[in-house]
Amino acid sequence: MAELDTDSTERASRRPLWPALLCALLVLLAVAWVAGRQSLQGAPDQPASLDAVRLGPDPGEPVAGYLAGLPARLPPAGAPAVPALVQFGALPSGAAGAVPGGPAGALPDGAAAALPDGAAASRLLTGVTSATAVFRVPLPRVQTALRFQPLPPVDAVDPVAAALRRFTLAQRAAQRDASAQASRLTGRPASVAGYEAAALAAEPPCRCVLAVLVTGDRAGLTRLAGLPEVRAVDAAPEGTPVTGVALAPLLPEQTEVAGPAPDDGPVPAALGSPG
């Protein structure tokens, strides 16, 4: 009987370990997947889920039709505040659209100057709560990056100074990202990222604020939509959390269709702020 017990113990000790290891690996993979899903919810340039609300035009959507439909998306009077994407880049006064006879996406001279810098954006966005800034360095016929940066909380008594400080910190973070990309990339992408890094660090600050994700009620969003500096205010449905949106702002050069921007222009060798 003792021999039988010994044999059973030896057979048990010789059982393969791979089933247990496989189970442990599957558990670790599941935990990592859940953590990854949760981390995406804090990234404003990524959909929080497959049903995230897109703020901005759909790819290939006519710009005129997109803009015409925005007033109907504003929340009703008395409704709670909702997330909304405030998009800058309106054409300057007297610039009605693309250059006649020019290449697709070409804009009149000075059109890129319609973007505000952080100070101007912070002054415009009163009556709403700003959450995320979208920076883009304007460079004619060059696809520069959309850089999504949260506007961090700051400790300041003066609300005007606090708003400006938040945009300053966000722009510095965008500059660090561009600088890191310039060091990591090669060729034209590295040159573009290097130009962006220099522009975002320049003094006076470049006019690089393309859009800002805010939360606001109908009155606040309607006021913003009526400003000449604002091209569009795209509001999410009531009940949408700030983490439940995906941002896709209009580019200034997108005047007819929300399609790819041209990318055949030269990147200046002497880096400096275009704004």
Side-chain angles (χ1 to χ4, degrees):
M1 186 69 177
E3 290 181 0
L4 288 176
D5 291 342
T6 301
D7 291 342
S8 298
T9 302
E10 290 178 351
R11 283 196 299 270
S13 65
R14 290 196 297 268
R15 288 174 182 170
L17 297 177
W18 66 263
L21 293 175
L22 179 60
C23 290
L25 178 61
L26 291 175
V27 170
L28 289 175
L29 289 174
V31 171
W33 181 82
V34 171
R37 293 273 297 175
Q38 291 175 340
S39 67
L40 281 180
Q41 292 180 353
D45 54 330
Q46 296 287 344
S49 66
L50 293 178
D51 58 352
V53 175
R54 182 184 181 93
L55 297 182
D58 290 325
E61 183 176 0
V63 172
Y66 166 70
L67 296 176
L70 293 181
R73 302 186 194 179
L74 293 173
V82 299
L85 185 62
V86 180
Q87 302 166 70
F88 301 105
L91 291 177
S93 177
V99 175
L107 292 178
D109 291 341
L115 292 183
D117 59 16
S122 65
R123 289 193 299 268
L124 294 171
L125 297 172
T126 58
V128 295
T129 301
S130 303
T132 301
V134 185
F135 296 94
R136 181 179 185 253
V137 174
L139 190 55
R141 301 191 66 82
V142 175
Q143 288 186 7
T144 52
L146 297 179
R147 302 192 180 276
F148 302 82
Q149 293 294 336
L151 293 165
V154 296
D155 186 11
V157 177
D158 183 0
V160 175
L164 176 56
R165 178 65 175 164
R166 296 178 72 203
F167 274 92
T168 300
L169 293 175
Q171 184 164 326
R172 288 179 183 173
Q175 190 275 335
R176 289 192 296 270
D177 287 348
S179 181
Q181 286 184 345
S183 300
R184 185 174 65 250
L185 301 173
T186 59
R188 179 181 174 89
S191 298
V192 173
Y195 182 89
E196 294 177 77
L200 290 165
E203 289 294 341
C206 73
R207 293 184 242 184
C208 299
V209 181
L210 177 63
V212 180
L213 176 65
V214 305
T215 55
D217 59 13
R218 182 180 181 86
L221 298 179
T222 300
R223 185 193 70 82
L224 288 175
L227 296 177
E229 300 89 346
V230 173
R231 187 180 187 187
V233 176
D234 193 344
E238 184 179 343
T240 303
V242 173
T243 54
V245 298
L247 308 183
L250 270 172
L251 305 182
E253 58 266 38
Q254 291 174 331
T255 58
E256 296 183 1
V257 175
D263 192 28
D264 54 6
V267 181
L271 300 179
S273 171

